[in-house]
Amino acid sequence: MTFEWTRKPVVRKAARISGYVAFGLLLFALSVVWTFPASRLRGYLENRLSQGGVTVKIQDLSIRGFGSVRLTGLKVELPPDRGTNPDGSAYEDLRTLSADRLDLSLGLLSLLLGDLKVKATVYSGEGVLGPVVVVKTAETVTVEIESAQDFPLPSDMPVFGIRFFGKLSVLKGTMTYDLKGGLASSKGHLDLKADGIRVPKPTLRGSTHANISLSDVDLGTLTLAINLDKRSNIPAFKADRKGPGGDATVLHIEKADLDGSDAKAQVEGHSVIRLVPARPFKDGALTVDLAFSLSEPFFDRQVRAGTEVSTPNRFLRTILGMDPKWRSAQSGSYWGLTCSGTVERPSCQPKKPSIRGGDFKLPAKVDDKTDAKDTGSKPVVPNVPRTAPTSPTPAAPQAPAMPVQIPPQPPRQEPLPTAENTASGAGMSGGLTGAANAAATAQAAAQAAAQAAARSQPMMPTVIGRARIRGLVPEGGGEAGEGSDGAAPAPAAAPAAGEGEGQE
């Protein structure tokens, strides 16, 4: 038999000992989970993490299996942000991070090998952030963020004194932090997208004017891409020469677009924060160029406080329109701003935008001493057909234009031969032929003149009659030789001898 060796006493004894050990480990694990003092662990974590001015509070803690912990009602209070306004007054902003739930999972195998691996997922409201995987070795700390979905922005964490409301829809990136060299020796990349960003009643602090309190500002969608690496390793700077700082580690703002109904902004693609070795991030050197635009409804927005109605944003339009620095920094509907100094104390000055592409493209500069041919712009010449010059339209108001209708001409009626006109027919035949030709010529000239006038002037209702020949006026007609179209009367033929007697 194949399994005959299992019947040996030594094998059976080893199997019994292994089963007892496995069963004991299982009971030990279950007892630890069931009887572990979670309240004591919660107090231990609060005291351990509350250091350096940071206060950590945990509402509840529970063990979720061997190596997994769930924290409920987590709140982290950071040291307040204190500073001095440009006018000399002091300000203090409280900073707090909170989450409804935090699930932690500890990698036991990595812990046995000497490394620490923690997997965390944060829940706040209906939003989820993570999983976030943190791996700590003897030299580095690696952080990898996989995703985010409808996770609210930390509204109690102001940036430069401004609080933001919104939700994260995209958060993905990785970072490797060097424990020895600090942030200046680290590298990483981050992609972020936030929707529905709103700033409630921000206050603008200035040195040349008093603090300005605005209405709520709708900033819309923020798209952000950041690189952290040596300058020579970033594709945007590979073609550049080395600057005064050498090949330093920079925080490169690859893309930063803000698209809202009240404001739009974009950061220039070569904007960086140069990190200083052995110094914190707040001492990094800024080189940031940006452009922004504000909508017209935002300037005229009315805010009601009780029974009073005010327009707090109108003063901002006055500053942008009257200050010479801001007027010189305007390009179309956008204003430019360049920031230098340090992250902790930035110095921003108005400057014409240097951003290219999209709505930020600057208009072409045209020299007054250069004609249109040299600048590449040509005057627009309308495509007018080559026709005879038309007469100018009269300035006086005219009657409503109506199409000219020429009534059809009835056939010319010849008099019936009678006894009186038979005798004079021979003498009148030559004169009647010349008179008929002249009448036809006058009628054609009148019609041509009417058509030319209709093309050059507003059309007027006109009635064109037919020419009449003296001696051939029908019964009941007007005077002989009088035309309704104003044409000269046709020449009459000389009466023949005996014509008068016949008509008497």
Side-chain angles (χ1 to χ4, degrees):
M1 294 292 294
T2 307
F3 299 101
E4 287 292 336
W5 60 273
T6 58
R7 297 180 180 180
K8 296 180 180 181
V10 178
V11 176
R12 291 183 177 182
K13 185 177 181 180
R16 285 196 300 268
I17 295 174
S18 300
Y20 293 150
V21 172
F23 183 72
L25 291 176
L26 179 61
L27 290 180
F28 173 76
L30 294 177
S31 63
V32 167
V33 173
W34 290 337
T35 63
F36 192 85
S39 59
R40 292 186 179 182
L41 179 60
R42 177 173 60 85
Y44 172 79
L45 292 177
E46 290 179 345
N47 296 331
R48 185 71 176 176
L49 298 176
S50 299
Q51 296 180 1
V54 178
T55 303
V56 178
K57 297 180 180 180
I58 304 173
Q59 183 177 356
D60 190 17
L61 185 147
S62 60
I63 305 297
R64 310 291 294 183
F66 197 69
S68 298
V69 180
R70 172 170 293 180
L71 307 179
T72 306
L74 180 64
K75 185 176 182 181
V76 180
E77 297 179 358
L78 300 176
D81 183 17
R82 298 184 178 91
T84 305
N85 295 322
D87 56 0
S89 60
Y91 68 89
E92 178 178 330
D93 295 327
L94 300 178
R95 299 182 298 172
T96 304
L97 294 175
S98 60
D100 295 338
R101 194 179 78 192
L102 173 62
D103 290 346
L104 296 176
S105 178
L106 182 65
L108 298 179
L109 182 60
S110 299
L111 186 62
L112 294 175
L113 296 177
D115 298 334
L116 177 63
K117 182 178 180 181
V118 179
K119 185 177 181 181
T121 305
V122 188
Y123 299 87
S124 182
E126 298 180 355
V128 181
L129 173 61
V132 179
V133 180
V134 181
V135 179
K136 181 182 179 299
T137 62
E139 298 179 354
T140 62
V141 176
T142 303
V143 180
E144 183 178 357
I145 305 174
E146 296 185 6
S147 64
Q149 182 178 359
D150 296 334
F151 190 80
L153 294 176
S155 58
D156 295 332
M157 189 72 176
V159 179
F160 300 112
I162 299 177
R163 302 178 184 273
F164 296 89
F165 290 82
K167 292 184 178 181
L168 286 173
S169 57
V170 175
L171 184 62
K172 184 177 182 180
T174 179
M175 178 180 176
T176 302
Y177 181 80
D178 194 328
L179 295 175
K180 296 181 179 180
L183 195 61
S185 301
S186 306
K187 60 181 180 180
H189 177 77
L190 179 68
D191 291 324
L192 181 148
K193 184 178 180 182
D195 301 321
I197 302 179
R198 181 178 57 88
V199 179
K201 298 180 180 179
T203 300
L204 301 181
R205 304 182 178 99
S207 57
T208 58
H209 55 78
N211 295 342
I212 304 175
S213 297
L214 306 177
S215 66
D216 294 353
V217 185
D218 182 11
L219 300 180
T221 302
L222 171 65
T223 305
L224 185 65
I226 298 177
N227 297 315
L228 176 64
D229 206 340
K230 295 290 185 182
R231 189 182 181 94
S232 59
N233 296 334
I234 299 177
F237 303 107
K238 285 188 175 181
D240 298 348
R241 296 180 179 179
K242 292 184 179 180
D247 193 15
T249 301
V250 296
L251 183 67
H252 171 225
I253 305 176
E254 179 181 349
K255 183 178 182 181
D257 294 340
L258 195 63
D259 188 2
S261 60
D262 293 338
K264 298 178 183 293
Q266 180 176 346
V267 176
E268 197 267 341
H270 281 66
S271 300
V272 297
I273 300 176
R274 185 170 58 86
L275 304 179
V276 182
R279 290 190 179 181
F281 176 73
K282 63 180 182 180
D283 294 335
L286 283 174
T287 305
V288 178
D289 292 333
L290 61 92
F292 68 93
S293 177
L294 301 174
S295 64
E296 288 297 327
F298 173 73
F299 289 119
D300 300 329
R301 180 168 300 165
Q302 296 181 354
V303 177
R304 181 180 298 275
T307 58
E308 297 182 359
V309 179
S310 61
T311 54
N313 305 334
R314 188 170 296 177
F315 183 64
L316 188 60
R317 173 193 282 169
T318 304
I319 295 177
L320 296 175
M322 299 184 63
D323 194 333
K325 294 182 179 179
W326 285 111
R327 288 205 309 268
S328 62
Q330 185 177 6
S331 176
S333 61
Y334 286 86
W335 289 270
L337 196 65
T338 178
C339 297
S340 58
T342 63
V343 177
E344 184 180 16
R345 294 184 178 275
S347 176
C348 299
Q349 298 295 330
K351 183 182 178 181
K352 189 174 287 293
S354 59
I355 297 173
R356 297 294 185 268
D359 295 335
F360 294 89
K361 187 175 181 180
L362 296 178
K365 297 181 180 179
V366 181
D367 192 358
D368 295 339
K369 298 181 181 180
T370 308
D371 54 6
K373 183 178 180 180
D374 296 334
T375 58
S377 60
K378 298 181 180 180
V380 180
V381 180
N383 187 14
V384 181
R386 297 180 180 179
T387 56
T390 58
S391 59
T393 304
Q398 301 292 335
M402 296 179 61
V404 178
Q405 298 181 358
I406 302 176
Q409 300 295 330
R412 186 168 57 89
Q413 300 179 1
E414 297 290 345
L416 297 176
T418 58
E420 287 87 5
N421 55 25
T422 300
S424 60
M428 295 178 60
S429 59
L432 290 176
T433 302
N437 294 336
T441 304
Q443 182 177 357
Q447 292 179 358
Q451 293 177 359
R455 288 193 301 268
S456 60
Q457 296 180 358
M459 293 180 292
M460 300 291 293
T462 308
V463 179
I464 301 177
R466 61 185 180 86
R468 304 188 186 94
I469 304 177
R470 184 179 299 275
L472 298 179
V473 179
E475 186 176 356
E479 297 180 0
E482 183 179 357
S484 61
D485 55 354
E499 181 181 359
E501 290 83 3
Q503 290 179 355
E504 291 178 359

